[in-house]
């Protein structure tokens, strides 16, 4: 089964909820598997996640002040179709097919190009494509023409925020993007412990909404007014506020103000109950930790100003990063982990190096990353003799006793 980092959130959610078979793992080559082209991050089959993982990688590296190779950027821009949309992957020389263009790939590609800068024409075309494929209820589907889902709608809203386009002004038949997102969120009619969650889609027969971990996590970032890369919102030491309901009330919270708090309260409770991670549940299968949903939950909580509630999830992802990224070889997972770590304002040097190694050599590397890579050599040199002179100097200073004051100033972390 593909992970969400490989397939795209909405497509995976559809497979999980409907019981449909998902394609074979990208890291498990098959006779028909496509080879990863030059310029692409990761070596696995890009058929289902080429644009997805490339976009996340470029977004994360741009946030780390790494200038990617021209061919890496050119590969992503070259995947865009003339109408402005992106498919999950298009082989070199292959013509665009409108049926293969998807909102998930387009949304993350737009965010990557905004983060990189200098690609306004491609961004504008991508946003216009999203406008043209919006559903009449304000939502987006993974592939245009299908019923909308929370994951795809959330990602589209992320892209609009990144492109400085007000989602409230992107509408179809009087329903804007926030209206489309809100239709998937469980409100006062739901049991108290489900309020604020997002469903992937309403039940086809009854229209009922059932909580979905990945949908709730991804939609929460959009509800909080966020996009990739995440920058912390106005920090609050208080926990997210659960949805307040009066007796008999059945209203759904309106995205994106009360909606973000309600989603954050639901995710906080789920993370606490799950040991700081969310869970992937499939029919007939043993529940397993959901790395991708946990990562997006941390991003949503951070964006909504609740980094304390996200901290446990960030710790869990860090501790289990090797398993999630398959030893640092899964570019989509590695990029997502880097985005989470950046949002949490933690040390990212090792992750930047890991992700950089999965693609073409960058044009320029951030000074911090360069310094980190040089640190081991510097430590060896220091241990080899310089440290002895330093100790002698300190001893002399202590002996002088002339009132010299040595102080160490702790680096101040950026304010959230």
């Amino acid at each position: 089964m593909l992970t969400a980092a490989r397939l795209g959130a909405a497509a995976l959610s559809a497979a999980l909820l409907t019981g449909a078979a998902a394609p074979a793992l990208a890291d498990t080559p098959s006779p028909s598997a496509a080879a990863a082209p030059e310029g692409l991050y990761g070596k696995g089959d890009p058929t289902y996640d080429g644009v997805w993982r490339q976009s996340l990688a470029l977004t994360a590296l741009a946030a780390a002040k790494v200038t990617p190779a021209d061919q890496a950027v050119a590969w992503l821009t070259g995947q865009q179709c003339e109408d402005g949309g992106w498919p999950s992957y298009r082989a070199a020389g292959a013509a665009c097919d409108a049926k293969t263009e998807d909102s998930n790939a387009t949304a993350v590609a737009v965010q990557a190009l905004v983060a990189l800068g200098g690609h306004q024409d491609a961004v504008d075309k991508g946003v216009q494509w999203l406008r043209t494929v919006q559903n009449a209820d304000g939502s987006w589907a993974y592939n245009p023409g299908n019923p909308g889902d929370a994951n795809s709608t959330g990602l589209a809203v992320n892209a609009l925020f990144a492109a400085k386009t007000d989602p409230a002004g992107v509408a179809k038949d009087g329903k804007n993007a926030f209206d489309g997102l809100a239709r998937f969120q469980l409100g006062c009619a739901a049991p108290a412990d489900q309020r604020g969650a997002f469903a992937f889609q309403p039940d086809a027969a009854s229209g009922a909404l059932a909580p979905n971990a990945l949908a709730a996590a991804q939609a929460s970032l959009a509800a909080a007014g966020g996009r990739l890369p995440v920058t912390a919102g106005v920090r609050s030491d208080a926990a997210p506020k659960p949805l307040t309901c009066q007796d008999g009330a059945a209203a759904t919270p309106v995205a994106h103000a009360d909606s973000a708090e309600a989603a954050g309260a639901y995710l906080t409770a789920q993370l606490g109950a799950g040991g700081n991670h969310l869970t992937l549940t499939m029919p007939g299968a043993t529940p397993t930790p959901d790395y991708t949903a946990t990562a997006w939950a941390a991003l949503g909580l951070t964006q909504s100003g609740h980094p304390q509630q996200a901290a446990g999830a960030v710790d869990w992802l860090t501790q289990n990063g090797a398993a999630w990224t398959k030893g640092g070889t899964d570019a989509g997972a590695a990029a997502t982990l880097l985005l989470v770590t950046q949002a949490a304002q933690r040390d990212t040097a090792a992750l930047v190096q890991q992700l950089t190694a999965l693609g073409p050599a960058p044009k320029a590397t951030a000074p911090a990353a360069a310094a980190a890579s040089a640190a081991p050599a510097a430590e060896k040199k220091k241990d080899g003799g310089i440290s002895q002179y330093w100790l002698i100097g300190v001893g002399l200073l202590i002996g002088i006793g002339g009132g010299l004051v040595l102080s160490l100033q702790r680096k101040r972390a950026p304010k959230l």
Side-chain angles (χ1 to χ4, degrees):
M1 175 64 68
L2 282 171
T3 65
R6 294 192 171 281
L7 182 54
L12 178 66
S13 294
L16 297 180
L17 295 178
T18 63
L25 276 170
D27 283 336
T28 307
S30 66
S32 60
E38 292 294 325
L40 182 66
Y41 284 86
K43 301 303 181 186
D45 180 359
T47 301
Y48 302 103
D49 79 329
V51 170
W52 177 268
R53 77 191 193 216
Q54 189 79 348
S55 298
L56 295 183
L58 292 174
T59 302
L61 292 176
K65 309 302 182 187
V66 173
T67 304
D70 289 339
Q71 66 178 144
V73 180
W75 186 88
L76 180 62
T77 57
Q79 290 284 297
Q80 187 177 27
C81 294
E82 185 60 32
D83 63 3
W86 270 265
S88 296
Y89 170 73
R90 180 162 58 95
C96 281
D97 181 352
K99 295 190 297 295
T100 67
E101 294 172 54
D102 72 75
S103 63
N104 288 209
T106 301
V108 291
V110 165
Q111 291 173 80
L113 295 180
V114 170
L116 290 168
H119 300 276
Q120 194 59 47
D121 288 346
V123 169
D124 290 343
K125 289 177 64 176
V127 169
Q128 182 58 33
W129 183 85
L130 289 171
R131 286 178 177 273
T132 62
V133 300
Q134 185 179 21
N135 287 339
D137 58 12
S139 70
W140 277 267
Y142 182 79
N143 290 121
N146 294 308
D149 62 80
N151 307 67
S152 299
T153 304
L155 289 167
V157 171
N158 296 151
L160 295 175
F161 277 124
K164 295 181 172 55
T165 301
D166 184 1
V170 178
K172 186 71 66 71
D173 292 350
K175 298 291 186 181
N176 65 36
F178 289 142
D179 295 327
L181 188 64
R183 71 184 300 269
F184 302 107
Q185 191 168 25
L186 282 71
C188 293
D193 62 350
Q194 296 181 9
R195 293 171 187 166
F198 282 84
F200 172 66
Q201 288 176 328
D203 181 78
S206 67
L209 299 175
N212 177 271
L214 184 57
Q218 285 199 312
S220 71
L221 179 58
R227 77 312 185 252
L228 300 176
V230 167
T231 54
V234 177
R235 180 167 183 161
S236 172
D237 291 332
K241 297 178 182 178
L243 185 63
T244 302
C245 299
Q246 298 179 352
D247 291 342
T252 297
V254 178
H256 62 98
D258 293 341
S259 174
E261 284 292 292
Y266 171 78
L267 290 170
T268 298
Q270 293 298 304
L271 288 169
N276 290 323
H277 66 80
L278 300 180
T279 301
L280 176 65
T281 303
M282 294 176 57
T286 302
T288 58
D290 192 328
Y291 299 103
T292 303
T294 303
W296 283 86
L299 292 172
L301 285 167
T302 302
Q303 177 66 40
S304 63
H306 300 287
Q308 287 182 306
Q309 283 67 35
V314 178
D315 290 340
W316 185 86
L317 289 167
T318 301
Q319 293 163 6
N320 293 276
W324 181 22
T325 65
K326 297 178 176 58
T329 62
D330 186 322
T336 308
L337 182 57
L338 177 54
L339 286 165
V340 170
T341 308
Q342 290 168 336
Q345 298 181 347
R346 300 190 183 184
D347 183 13
T348 61
L351 289 172
V352 170
Q353 291 179 8
Q354 183 181 89
L355 182 58
T356 301
L358 295 178
K363 293 174 65 175
T365 304
S373 63
E379 288 298 321
K380 289 181 181 179
K381 183 177 181 182
K382 177 178 174 182
D383 291 341
I386 293 178
S387 60
Q388 298 175 8
Y389 295 104
W390 183 83
L391 289 172
I392 293 171
V394 171
L396 290 174
L397 286 172
I398 294 174
I400 291 172
L404 295 177
V405 179
L406 301 177
S407 64
L408 294 175
Q409 183 176 0
R410 185 185 303 271
K411 290 184 177 179
R412 190 184 301 264
K415 293 183 178 179
L416 295 177

